[in-house]
Amino acid sequence: MSRDDSIFDKPFSRRRVLGYGVAGAGLAAMPWQLSLAAQIEAEAADQAMRQRAIPATGEKIPVIGMGSSGSFETRDPATQADLAEVMKEFVAMGGTLVDTSPSYGNAETNIGDIARQTGVRDQLFMATKVRKRSREQTLDQFRASIDALGEPIDLLQIHNFIGLDNQWATLKQLKEEGRVRYIGITHYLTSAFDELEHQMATKDMDFVQFNYSIITPDAEKRLLPLAADHGIAVLVNRAFNDGRIFGQTRGQALPEYAKEFDCFSWAQFALKYVLANESVTAVIPATSDPKHLRDNMHAGYGKLPDAQMRKRMRETIAEL
């Protein structure tokens, strides 16, 4: 099954019945419809999206978040309707954490505007970044993010080590003053892992963000165990290797064994592999396509593969 024909885009998917209701549309419901709705709602009570705790506080967040690099950067008004649907579906399907940055084009402005217009801003766990080298510039950039996104800013991260040595104290002060709730650092390259390891071991951070995937599993060796040892929440970027996973799996049938861990698309295959590592707090795939958003979100539901199954998954990908 390819990325483009996920079963979760079908008009009467489980989520659509739950979200909009059979009788809730103002139509007379037949007895079989009421029975189906009741059955689905009963099942849903035991099938909320998986959540994991932020070690610093114990606060739980859903395991599927949403990135915004590329997806929310556009200034094209023609895409705004899709972005609004993505935002509404994200929240309706159990998502809260949105990760962005001032460097992602118009993403902060789009996210803030759409979140307010769709009435979901208060339900979001908002994460953004700073990438300036002086304290004054850092504070100016943070104020601009507040203007765009609104408050609260739940997580503030130093982007790709920029200004890290000088500005970590600034982030700590913002946290102490209650302007942000959590602080952390980010990077997106495996080549940065040595420096990430050093920073994780020497700084009192709440979150760290780095790349990890079934194609690039290097973080399993040192960073994920280190995060667990130091009580650092982990956000995973590039779980699809910038789309490489879909080029590699295009035209390939999803293995039958994927059903054993409630997986029905290659996107879910990749995301569930990442989430199966319990040191991962959340993964943040980015998309501007409502169909892909729904597909991604379903990876946060149901079973996850165990260690033996994950080995089998790696072998499957290696053979393609």
Side-chain angles (χ1 to χ4, degrees):
M1 185 179 295
S2 72
R3 176 79 202 227
D4 293 329
D5 60 4
S6 167
I7 62 171
F8 296 115
D9 190 50
K10 295 180 180 178
F12 295 103
S13 68
R14 185 172 185 276
R15 170 52 52 181
R16 288 199 175 279
V17 176
L18 283 172
Y20 303 112
V22 175
L27 301 175
M30 298 300 290
W32 68 266
Q33 291 175 313
L34 293 174
S35 176
L36 175 61
Q39 179 182 351
I40 291 174
E41 288 177 5
E43 291 175 356
D46 296 325
Q47 294 187 19
M49 179 177 283
R50 187 182 301 271
Q51 296 188 347
R52 286 188 177 150
I54 300 168
T57 61
E59 176 185 0
K60 290 187 176 182
I61 57 174
V63 295
I64 303 291
M66 183 165 63
S68 58
S69 177
S71 57
F72 274 81
E73 293 187 29
T74 180
R75 290 175 170 81
D76 182 1
T79 65
Q80 296 300 307
D82 280 346
L83 291 177
E85 184 175 354
V86 162
M87 184 70 75
K88 288 188 290 186
E89 290 269 10
F90 174 70
V91 174
M93 294 184 70
T96 63
L97 188 149
V98 177
D99 178 81
T100 188
S101 170
S103 66
Y104 297 164
N106 210 40
E108 283 194 330
T109 298
N110 282 335
I111 289 169
D113 288 348
I114 292 169
R116 286 185 285 267
Q117 291 164 8
T118 56
V120 302
R121 176 59 182 92
D122 291 344
Q123 300 173 62
L124 297 179
F125 182 107
M126 196 68 76
T128 192
K129 306 175 182 77
V130 289
R131 46 184 294 123
K132 297 295 184 180
R133 300 188 184 279
S134 76
R135 173 180 171 80
E136 182 178 350
Q137 290 175 325
T138 294
L139 292 175
D140 285 346
Q141 189 168 66
F142 176 60
R143 293 186 193 103
S145 293
I146 290 175
D147 288 342
L149 296 168
E151 293 188 282
I153 301 296
D154 296 284
L155 168 61
L156 188 63
Q157 304 155 99
I158 290 184
H159 201 175
N160 296 346
F161 303 152
I162 296 171
L164 176 59
D165 291 338
N166 293 329
Q167 297 316 308
W168 186 248
T170 304
L171 264 66
K172 289 177 66 176
Q173 183 176 351
L174 287 170
K175 180 182 175 182
E176 290 168 1
E177 293 175 351
R179 300 302 304 277
V180 299
R181 299 200 300 131
Y182 300 102
I183 57 175
I185 63 174
T186 80
H187 215 286
Y188 68 105
L189 296 175
T190 306
S191 59
F193 280 11
D194 286 346
E195 182 62 20
L196 275 168
E197 183 178 18
H198 170 70
Q199 297 297 336
M200 291 166 65
T202 57
K203 284 185 169 57
D204 185 18
M205 64 186 69
D206 303 308
F207 277 81
V208 64
Q209 181 181 148
F210 48 74
N211 59 302
Y212 172 47
S213 75
I214 191 170
I215 296 175
T216 311
D218 305 55
E220 293 173 0
K221 299 175 184 176
R222 294 180 296 169
L223 294 192
L224 287 165
L226 184 63
D229 289 345
H230 285 256
I232 303 171
V234 174
L235 299 184
V236 168
N237 58 48
R238 301 181 70 197
F240 298 144
N241 284 85
D242 302 329
R244 178 182 162 194
I245 185 72
F246 302 118
Q248 196 165 336
T249 58
R250 185 173 294 116
Q252 302 291 329
L254 193 70
E256 282 294 315
Y257 69 76
K259 295 177 182 177
E260 296 178 27
F261 52 94
D262 301 320
C263 174
F264 301 97
S265 74
W266 283 114
Q268 295 168 37
F269 193 88
L271 293 172
K272 281 179 174 277
Y273 178 87
V274 168
L275 291 174
N277 191 308
E278 293 186 357
S279 297
V280 172
T281 309
V283 59
I284 50 171
T287 184
S288 58
D289 186 323
K291 176 178 67 175
H292 293 169
L293 183 280
R294 290 189 285 271
D295 192 4
N296 293 343
M297 296 299 284
H298 276 277
Y301 291 83
K303 300 174 184 176
L304 292 174
D306 60 18
Q308 184 175 355
M309 184 65 79
R310 293 173 78 230
K311 179 177 182 293
R312 190 176 182 185
M313 294 167 74
R314 290 193 299 270
E315 292 170 349
T316 295
I317 293 297
E319 291 169 359
L320 295 180

